[in-house]
Amino acid sequence: MVSPISHEAVGFVPPAPATVWQGWDAFVHRAPAPARDADDPAWTQTEREDYHSELAVMRTPAMDSVFTAVRRLLLVNRRQQAGARRGLIISGPATTGKTTTMMALGRSFQLADARQHPGQDGRRPVLFISVPPAATPKMLVSEFARFLGMPLTDRLNQTQITGAVCDLLCELGTQLVLIDDVHLLDTQRRAGAETSDQLKYLGERIPATFVYSAIDVETSSLLTGVRGAQLAGRFKIFRHRPLAYATDHDRAVWDDLVGAMENLLRLRAHRPGTLVKHAAYLHARTAGRIGSLSHLIRESALIALTEGTERLTKQLLSEVELDAAAEAQARPRRA
């Protein structure tokens, strides 16, 4: 019988989720695992595994575009005193890096805010939540309250929680509200429609710029009907697509991304340039999805570490099973 692997056995302490302030603030200020020379004798096997399990998030053209769009929206919204402010929806297929981009945006904004307001530790410039499945208006606003650490009791109704959340966010100077997985709101059902109305109300009460993330929001019910027309009239849509590999520019962007990730590896027998050499293969395997590429490289590196080969090869990369979406895309190309 195989014994389960405990967190204690691998020396890992699960962090608080980013959807509560303690976890979010830890994410913002967490330093990446330090990179050392691969042959450093002081670098333990566990530390090397932790380093390759994490790897740094690569800056992509999509991230740059989202950062620029949100900076402009923050300027547009800064002096608006009433009514709905302008927002952004990051939309695209799964595993293209939408949530990663959104969290990187929030991290960058909060660090910039801290530089502008030194010593003001009580500020909460960013709020990050995820829409719960089958959300109701009370469930949604309760996620706001949990992020802020507000005590919730069964006696509090939706109106009371909403009022308290809006007042507190105004006091804390929140300027950027990030909401992940808004595609879970089915506005063709009563609960989803009412929760969409709650989002609209929060956007009018809280003097902040709202950024949503959704899987293919254009094909969801969120933009249909009267409610959808209101949302479409207030939000830009940024389409977060997989990276292409058709033109010289596309290939240069992808190759640079692969090269940057390869430069982070600390494997003793790895030949530099191997991953860049197989950049076209990596694109075919992952269909240009950033999340799938990160998974493939990190898992392959961990296999090379634990099995002692200390190098990545095309053979090893081909043996790693990826997410179902990437495998479905890659299967016809392999055939």
Side-chain angles (χ1 to χ4, degrees):
M1 179 177 178
V2 179
S3 60
I5 299 176
S6 67
H7 291 316
E8 292 77 8
V10 295
F12 175 72
V13 178
T19 50
V20 298
W21 172 253
Q22 293 85 352
W24 173 260
D25 196 52
F27 159 74
V28 168
H29 294 99
R30 180 170 58 112
R36 305 178 185 176
D37 185 84
D39 295 320
D40 185 348
W43 205 4
T44 67
Q45 178 75 0
T46 299
E47 289 172 335
R48 297 179 70 212
E49 291 170 0
D50 288 345
Y51 170 81
H52 288 89
S53 173
E54 183 177 8
L55 287 184
V57 174
M58 294 291 101
R59 190 77 171 255
T60 65
M63 280 188 186
D64 292 335
S65 298
V66 169
F67 283 25
T68 299
V70 172
R71 278 196 299 268
R72 293 171 179 172
L73 288 173
L74 287 163
L75 288 173
V76 168
N77 293 334
R78 187 164 64 186
R79 301 295 294 175
Q80 186 165 340
Q81 299 299 317
R85 293 160 184 83
R86 299 294 164 175
L88 183 73
I89 302 176
I90 305 172
S91 175
T95 71
T96 52
K98 298 180 299 299
T99 302
T100 299
T101 294
M102 176 182 279
M103 294 180 70
L105 167 69
R107 182 179 186 273
S108 176
F109 181 82
Q110 182 165 319
L111 292 174
D113 183 86
R115 290 191 294 269
Q116 294 172 4
H117 304 89
Q120 298 185 26
D121 296 334
R123 291 179 61 83
R124 300 288 186 269
V126 178
L127 179 142
F128 174 78
I129 67 161
S130 183
V131 174
T136 64
K138 184 176 181 180
M139 289 168 63
L140 179 73
V141 78
S142 294
E143 290 298 310
F144 280 66
R146 288 191 185 93
F147 181 90
L148 297 169
M150 297 173 59
L152 295 174
T153 65
D154 292 338
R155 295 181 179 180
L156 294 175
N157 59 37
Q158 174 193 328
T159 303
Q160 291 170 322
I161 299 173
T162 301
V165 163
C166 292
D167 291 344
L168 184 55
L169 287 175
C170 291
E171 292 177 14
L172 296 174
T174 302
Q175 300 172 59
L176 190 61
V177 175
L178 308 175
I179 304 181
D180 200 13
D181 292 334
V182 295
H183 58 271
L184 294 177
L185 295 178
D186 184 358
T187 56
Q188 294 180 348
R189 297 179 179 273
R190 179 177 176 179
E194 291 175 348
T195 306
S196 176
D197 292 342
Q198 173 77 308
L199 268 181
K200 175 178 174 292
Y201 178 77
L202 291 169
E204 294 173 348
R205 281 285 310 274
I206 302 167
T209 296
F210 280 61
V211 178
Y212 300 159
S213 171
I215 294 177
D216 297 332
V217 71
E218 301 91 333
T219 61
S220 73
S221 64
L222 203 63
L223 299 181
T224 61
V226 175
R227 291 181 175 89
Q230 287 183 320
L231 186 67
R234 297 172 181 178
F235 279 75
K236 295 182 179 183
I237 295 179
F238 177 83
R239 290 166 180 83
H240 204 293
R241 298 184 176 94
L243 291 178
Y245 205 68
T247 67
D248 289 342
H249 175 72
D250 293 339
R251 288 188 285 272
V253 170
W254 179 261
D255 291 357
D256 287 346
L257 177 65
V258 171
M261 295 190 73
E262 183 170 25
N263 289 337
L264 294 174
L265 296 175
R266 295 296 184 270
L267 300 174
R268 291 168 182 156
H270 182 72
R271 295 178 181 177
T274 299
L275 294 187
V276 176
K277 175 184 176 182
H278 297 305
Y281 165 77
L282 291 170
H283 189 274
R285 278 294 314 273
T286 63
R289 287 172 160 86
I290 302 297
S292 301
L293 176 67
S294 174
H295 173 194
L296 177 57
I297 293 176
R298 287 185 293 122
E299 183 169 340
S300 299
L302 290 167
I303 293 172
L305 277 171
T306 55
E307 294 187 354
T309 60
E310 295 278 350
R311 58 182 295 192
L312 299 191
T313 64
K314 187 176 180 181
Q315 177 64 34
L316 174 57
L317 293 166
S318 68
E319 293 171 358
V320 174
E321 186 78 12
L322 290 179
D323 54 273
E327 292 294 344
Q329 289 282 341
R331 198 171 294 120
R333 301 185 190 187
R334 283 176 169 175

